Amino acid sequence: TDWVKLRGTVSESVRAPNIAELFNGGGETFAQVNDLCDEVTATTTGTVADNCRSVPEISSRIATGLGNDFGEVGVFRLSQTELQGTGGVVGGNPNVEEETADSWTIGAVIDVPMVEGLTVVVDWYDIEVEGAISATSRSEVLRRCFNAPTTAFDATCGGLLTRNNLGAATAVNSSQSNENTLKVSGLDLDVAYTTELADLNDNLRGTLTSNLLYNFQNENEITGITSGLTDDLVGEVLTPEHRWTLSTTYSVDDLAVTWRMRYWAEVGDNNEASDGGLLVGSPLNDLDGVYYHDLRGGYDVNDSVNVYFGINNVLDEEPPELGQATNYGSTGINTAPEAYDVIGRRYYAGISVDF
């Protein structure tokens, strides 16, 4: 109609794996892996235990106790050094297949008739990706390998696993694979308002323009294709339930001044106690919401030259601390630079010339 437009989409799409996902030669890692053979005894029952005991180095250690603390016989027990010393590489996989997605959106564009200059755009989105490409965790490589039927078990896990003469894993390699199903839904809101400012005598005193961009994340779930376990990421560091940016510009003649406020809602490093990282309920797990304020001024010297000056993070807001015991903390940075400003207050100036 004159003041509202309804819109929607239903689509199927694919994403082919990129060059790195296919052919990356691999990067070294020493992240700890879960060796299912740890604590297996001579009498432990089950497929995993049978496969573990079929490895000569493991069966020898169980029988002799060589390598166990105090030479304990009858069990395969890894030391802390052995548990933390498993290297390996994670790289590309030429057998990765494309991701497929089903999505739909519905929304509206509204020129609010009661308020001149006010426009509201709202969209709900729902996206599900099958066969999402991700690096297979090295613990998952071992889990799949040692849960295989004994008749099909390969002690080297297809060449991905190397053990020393005491049976300890010295290297577990991994690669990209079509590991997960992703499901994301939420609301996008865009509100824009423009008005002319005047004094009591109706003399023009400039233009005020405001714009609010808001996102509400309803769900952001990753489900492992093999395990069937679902991890809900909404409310974690990189996926806050709420985030928004509000910008306001006042312009008069050749001068324009913009103030921008960015908001990243309160989050947790981990919203599931079994995720690893800091447990839910830990005082260090919960991070307060963060506001950032930016200022920018520009002046048109003439039709082709504009000079400008700005300050980002005016209040010098410091990022929250996320150390190495967390899911999202970056080593050497101790925070999540994808979410938070790690530089602090900073200034810039420049000249823009059209020719």
Side-chain angles (χ1 to χ4, degrees), residues 47-293:
T47 300
V48 171
D50 290 341
N51 287 334
C52 290
R53 287 189 293 263
S54 72
V55 179
E57 294 82 2
I58 293 178
S59 61
S60 174
R61 184 162 171 170
I62 292 173
T64 65
L66 185 63
N68 288 339
D69 292 338
F70 311 111
E72 184 179 2
V73 176
V75 63
F76 178 72
R77 178 170 292 136
L78 294 169
S79 67
Q80 192 66 26
T81 301
E82 290 172 323
L83 289 169
Q84 294 181 334
T86 306
V89 296
V90 179
N93 178 3
N95 297 316
V96 169
E97 299 180 352
E98 67 274 9
E99 300 174 339
T100 62
D102 294 312
S103 61
W104 60 268
T105 68
I106 185 169
V109 181
I110 305 169
D111 291 320
V112 181
M114 296 76 72
V115 182
E116 183 179 355
L118 178 62
T119 301
V120 178
V121 181
V122 59
D123 289 287
W124 181 272
Y125 57 88
D126 189 290
I127 305 167
E128 184 169 355
V129 180
E130 298 282 353
I133 299 170
S134 176
T136 307
S137 77
R138 298 188 302 144
S139 293
E140 179 64 17
V141 168
L142 293 183
R143 193 192 70 79
R144 294 175 184 176
C145 174
F146 281 84
N147 275 283
T150 54
T151 54
F153 174 67
D154 175 5
T156 69
C157 300
L160 298 176
L161 169 63
T162 303
R163 294 185 184 273
N164 61 20
N165 60 349
L166 294 177
T170 56
V172 180
N173 300 327
S174 182
S175 63
Q176 304 290 324
S177 186
N178 299 93
E179 284 292 328
N180 303 313
T181 296
L182 309 180
K183 187 169 178 58
V184 179
S185 66
L187 179 77
D188 280 333
L189 178 67
D190 182 352
V191 181
Y193 177 65
T194 300
T195 186
E196 302 290 345
L197 302 180
D199 61 20
L200 295 178
N201 297 319
D202 290 331
N203 295 316
L204 186 62
R205 286 294 182 264
T207 301
L208 186 68
T209 302
S210 295
N211 182 236
L212 171 67
L213 298 174
Y214 166 76
N215 172 255
F216 164 71
Q217 193 146 143
N218 178 59
E219 60 181 343
N220 190 323
E221 297 180 345
I222 300 179
T223 301
I225 293 175
T226 301
S227 67
L229 298 176
T230 297
D231 187 7
D232 181 8
L233 301 180
V234 174
E236 294 196 2
V237 172
L238 301 185
T239 49
E241 187 175 14
H242 308 280
R243 54 181 168 174
W244 49 260
T245 299
L246 174 63
S247 299
T248 299
T249 299
Y250 173 69
S251 57
V252 57
D253 298 329
D254 296 320
L255 177 67
V257 178
T258 299
W259 165 73
R260 180 177 66 174
M261 181 167 60
R262 295 171 286 151
Y263 174 67
W264 197 272
E266 60 275 6
V267 294
D269 178 69
N270 170 21
N271 62 12
E272 295 186 19
S274 61
D275 244 359
L278 295 173
L279 297 180
V280 172
S282 164
L284 298 179
N285 183 74
D286 298 321
L287 307 178
D288 292 334
V290 176
Y291 293 89
Y292 294 108
H293 298 268

